[in-house]
Amino acid sequence: MNLDVPAADAAAPRKVEAPTLVVAAAIYGGWLAATYWHDAIPVPLLAVAGGWLIAWHGSLQHETIHGHPTGSRRVNAAIGFPPLALWLPYAIYARSHVAHHRSPAITDPLHDPESRYVTHARGVAGMAARAQATLLGRLLLGPPIAVLTLLVEERLRARRAPVAVLRDWVPHFLAVALVAEWLAWARFGIGHYILLFVYPGMALTLLRSFAEHRADLSAPGRAATVERARILGLLYLNNNLHAAHHDRPDLAWYRLPAHYRTNRARLTGDARPAYPTYGAIARAFFLKRHDMLVHPAHRDAAP
């Protein structure tokens, strides 16, 4: 799998990063244990553990896309590839995220594939954006909307580049089949797995990205910072310090806090820390829209 990474990531060869390998071992070991002993775990606790593991695995995939924990792209991709969340092929996520970092206009939906903004509020895209404008909508409706959006986009891409689509999806489906085989052997129904692992895991990931970028910020990558996130900081591998990550995408997750502390004034700019905690985000936006749906660059042209 040949994946380009942001230029800063490829600047120098890396040694093996033990903290990330420990996280990877905890994720895969925890996933095997939780799925194997699922019958012995109370359902609420299983949902918490399952959601944590899926979201944590997404954070690990993010690290591998940025060239961690080894100097080998193939090894890193192999570490991040297993589709524990079932729905998103690793190759598609990697390309999308690299394009996000390389975008000449981060947050503009015409240039940034990970933008939450739209060019206009009409049609299905506008409806999807409105459905996720509040944190409640993001957590409840965001997961199915993300899956449906991917399927629609991939169906359109299949018409233009069927071979490329097969190249992305065939290895993914084979790996999903192995996950499904393990779940069947552990007598963990796929429906229960989606409900107790995938859905809460996607919701936790969407909590992180809900207020992650704002078009009005001057920070690197127009990225917001959640300054205090003790437990969720571990879950997100310090990606709550998102301006620091965009400033130095080559830094391993455990080096981001020191970089943020050293460069706090520059990274926050005139915005200061955008949010003190994820609790503050929840209190402010649980039932209130976070931002305008239409990107500022397109508001004059929007009806």
Side-chain angles (χ1 to χ4, degrees):
M1 186 181 298
N2 184 17
L3 298 172
D4 290 330
V5 294
D9 289 13
R14 287 194 178 90
K15 297 179 180 178
V16 174
E17 298 165 346
T20 307
L21 290 180
V22 170
V23 168
I27 290 169
Y28 289 118
W31 184 84
L32 289 171
T35 52
Y36 182 77
W37 283 295
H38 65 93
D39 274 340
I41 304 173
V43 170
L45 182 58
L46 186 62
V48 171
W52 176 283
L53 288 166
I54 296 301
W56 209 12
H57 182 255
S59 299
L60 174 66
Q61 289 183 313
H62 175 262
E63 282 292 298
T64 65
I65 289 168
H66 281 284
H68 308 282
T70 78
S72 167
R73 290 183 180 182
R74 291 186 177 183
V75 171
N76 296 336
I79 291 171
F81 176 77
L84 302 190
L86 304 178
W87 70 284
L88 179 61
Y90 180 82
I92 293 176
Y93 173 34
R95 277 200 308 276
S96 173
H97 192 67
V98 169
H100 163 69
H101 272 272
R102 289 181 169 171
S103 170
I106 289 176
T107 71
D108 187 332
L110 294 184
H111 300 281
D112 181 0
E114 295 187 0
S115 174
R116 292 190 58 227
Y117 293 90
V118 292
T119 57
H120 56 77
R122 304 185 307 272
V124 175
M127 291 175 58
R130 284 192 294 273
Q132 302 178 82
T134 67
L135 182 59
L136 177 62
R138 179 79 161 169
L139 299 182
L140 291 182
L141 301 177
I145 288 174
V147 175
L148 289 173
T149 299
L150 174 69
L151 294 177
V152 170
E153 290 175 349
E154 287 301 287
R155 182 179 179 182
L156 294 174
R157 189 167 73 101
R159 296 175 182 174
R160 303 189 307 268
V163 174
V165 170
L166 287 174
R167 191 182 304 120
D168 290 340
W169 283 92
V170 168
H172 176 75
F173 279 138
L174 292 174
V176 167
L178 292 177
V179 172
E181 185 65 25
W182 166 264
L183 295 175
W185 183 78
R187 298 184 180 180
F188 193 4
I190 193 72
H192 285 93
Y193 178 75
I194 291 173
L195 182 63
L196 298 176
F197 277 60
V198 177
Y199 204 110
M202 291 180 68
L204 279 171
T205 299
L206 292 173
L207 167 63
R208 189 211 74 216
S209 61
F210 175 72
E212 199 165 70
H213 289 276
R214 278 188 5 207
D216 61 332
L217 291 181
S218 60
R222 300 190 185 279
T225 291
V226 179
E227 194 162 50
R228 299 192 304 276
R230 295 177 183 176
I231 296 176
L232 291 179
L234 176 60
L235 176 64
Y236 299 143
L237 296 183
N238 293 326
N239 214 20
N240 54 292
L241 303 174
H242 209 58
H245 170 61
H246 270 267
D247 188 54
R248 287 290 306 276
D250 59 308
L251 285 183
W253 62 276
Y254 52 88
R255 300 192 186 278
L256 282 176
H259 180 68
Y260 177 74
R261 288 191 299 270
T262 301
N263 299 277
R264 184 175 182 269
R266 178 175 62 83
L267 293 176
T268 54
D270 56 8
R272 300 182 305 279
Y275 309 103
T277 64
Y278 283 102
I281 292 176
R283 289 189 295 273
F285 303 112
F286 192 70
L287 295 174
K288 179 183 176 182
R289 184 178 64 189
H290 169 254
D291 199 356
M292 297 291 290
L293 301 176
V294 179
H295 189 273
H298 305 282
R299 285 172 192 166
D300 291 341

